[in-house]
Amino acid sequence: MVQQVLINDDDYYVPDANQLVTEDDTLDNFATCKQKRLLIGSLYSSLQSQTFFAAANVGIYHTDGQPAIVPDIFLSFDVQVPEKWWEKQNRCYMVWRFGKPPEVVLEIVSNKEGDELGKKLKIYEQMRASYYIVYDPNQQLGEKVLRVYELRGTRYFETSENSLEQVGLGVTLWEGKFEDRQDTWLRWCYQDGNVLLTGDERAEQERQRAEQERQRAEQAEQRTQLLAERLRAMGVDPDTL
């Protein structure tokens, strides 16, 4: 039972937050939840011409007789979610049904209990996911905020590069605002370093482009009117030209 602390001798109690479970393998905190939306949403917004499946907190069954592992994010190319996804056998990612493991698995570290650099790394290595990304925004596991592991043969090797060459993507830390929250975010990027845009960012980009086109059209109309006025001042009817 959680111990309760009396506040100002009033008749209510506030639990000690240090004794509460604020996140675990099935329970997200606010920051992690928002970070996952950014990663998943930008993929579906930007890779519309490609066939892939990305999900958060969906179980992966990789070996018969072994329990599922549930990465924070996984990305698998050249597969699609089954049409009858409510059927039991289609509700999670079974490697033997999809015919391949995901290319990318990603874990967001919230505490020191997830064993991201131990047990989980070994499972993803045995599963043969091409890349394993560990994002540790609060540096729970050491000084590194971002670790990228690449499968070479049957073993993972940590790489100093954040490029995922086999899938044509990369990951980068990005300072900016997402869903009205200014912070440092983990984002997918292309090989040239440009981040994959969210739907809102694409809409804003289109709005700015339309505004620029409108301004250019107004400037062209103003130049046309000025030229017409000058011609009339010279005794020339511009409508006859």
Side-chain angles (χ1 to χ4, degrees):
M1 180 176 180
V2 175
Q3 294 181 352
Q4 296 177 326
V5 181
L6 187 64
I7 302 297
N8 295 329
D9 293 327
D10 290 334
D11 293 331
Y12 62 90
Y13 295 89
V14 177
D16 181 357
N18 292 321
Q19 300 184 46
L20 300 178
V21 177
T22 56
E23 61 274 316
D24 57 23
D25 283 346
T26 59
L27 181 65
D28 271 344
N29 56 54
F30 292 134
T32 302
C33 180
K34 195 178 288 286
Q35 175 67 80
K36 292 176 184 179
R37 286 202 299 274
L38 173 57
L39 288 169
I40 294 293
S42 59
L43 285 170
Y44 281 100
S45 174
S46 298
L47 303 183
Q48 297 181 13
S49 62
Q50 299 187 47
T51 301
F52 70 93
F53 176 38
N57 292 342
V58 172
I60 300 176
Y61 279 95
H62 52 94
T63 304
D64 185 29
Q66 295 296 318
I69 188 168
V70 186
D72 286 321
I73 299 284
F74 73 77
L75 170 61
S76 186
F77 284 93
D78 300 318
V79 298
Q80 292 179 312
V81 180
E83 183 175 347
K84 298 180 179 179
W85 62 6
W86 286 113
E87 293 184 358
K88 185 70 172 180
Q89 68 270 20
N90 295 332
R91 293 189 184 187
C92 61
Y93 196 103
M94 300 180 185
V95 172
W96 53 88
R97 290 183 64 84
F98 283 91
K100 56 184 282 293
E103 279 78 9
V104 183
V105 288
L106 187 153
E107 295 285 356
I108 303 171
V109 181
S110 298
N111 51 54
K112 297 180 180 179
E113 300 174 4
D115 204 14
E116 285 83 4
L117 302 182
K119 180 179 179 181
K120 287 183 179 178
L121 185 148
K122 289 298 182 182
I123 291 175
Y124 294 134
E125 185 178 68
Q126 294 169 3
M127 192 172 71
R128 301 184 64 77
S130 300
Y131 296 98
Y132 174 40
I133 301 168
V134 180
Y135 178 42
D136 186 10
N138 291 317
Q139 297 173 295
Q140 299 275 355
L141 306 181
E143 295 183 358
K144 291 185 179 180
V145 172
L146 185 61
R147 295 175 173 87
V148 177
Y149 297 89
E150 182 179 26
L151 189 69
R152 300 173 188 170
T154 60
R155 298 291 303 278
Y156 271 144
F157 291 87
E158 186 174 359
T159 172
S160 59
E161 299 293 331
N162 293 341
S163 176
L164 316 178
E165 293 186 5
Q166 296 182 43
V167 295
L169 294 174
V171 286
T172 186
L173 297 177
W174 176 83
E175 295 280 347
K177 183 179 289 188
F178 172 63
E179 293 183 353
D180 293 326
R181 178 74 184 198
Q182 183 76 26
D183 211 328
T184 300
W185 302 96
L186 179 65
R187 299 197 62 164
W188 306 106
C189 61
Y190 297 105
Q191 296 293 292
D192 61 7
N194 289 321
V195 297
L196 274 65
L197 299 181
T198 65
D200 287 343
E201 288 171 333
R202 286 185 172 278
E204 176 61 19
Q205 194 177 71
E206 288 300 319
R207 187 196 67 77
Q208 293 180 0
R209 185 179 294 113
E211 177 63 19
Q212 292 171 355
E213 290 292 336
R214 185 189 66 79
Q215 292 177 358
R216 283 194 288 266
E218 287 184 352
Q219 292 170 357
E221 178 63 23
Q222 291 172 359
R223 289 193 294 267
T224 299
Q225 291 178 0
L226 180 59
L227 177 59
E229 290 173 0
R230 290 177 177 176
L231 289 172
R232 292 189 182 96
M234 295 169 59
V236 178
D237 184 356
D239 295 332
T240 63
L241 297 179

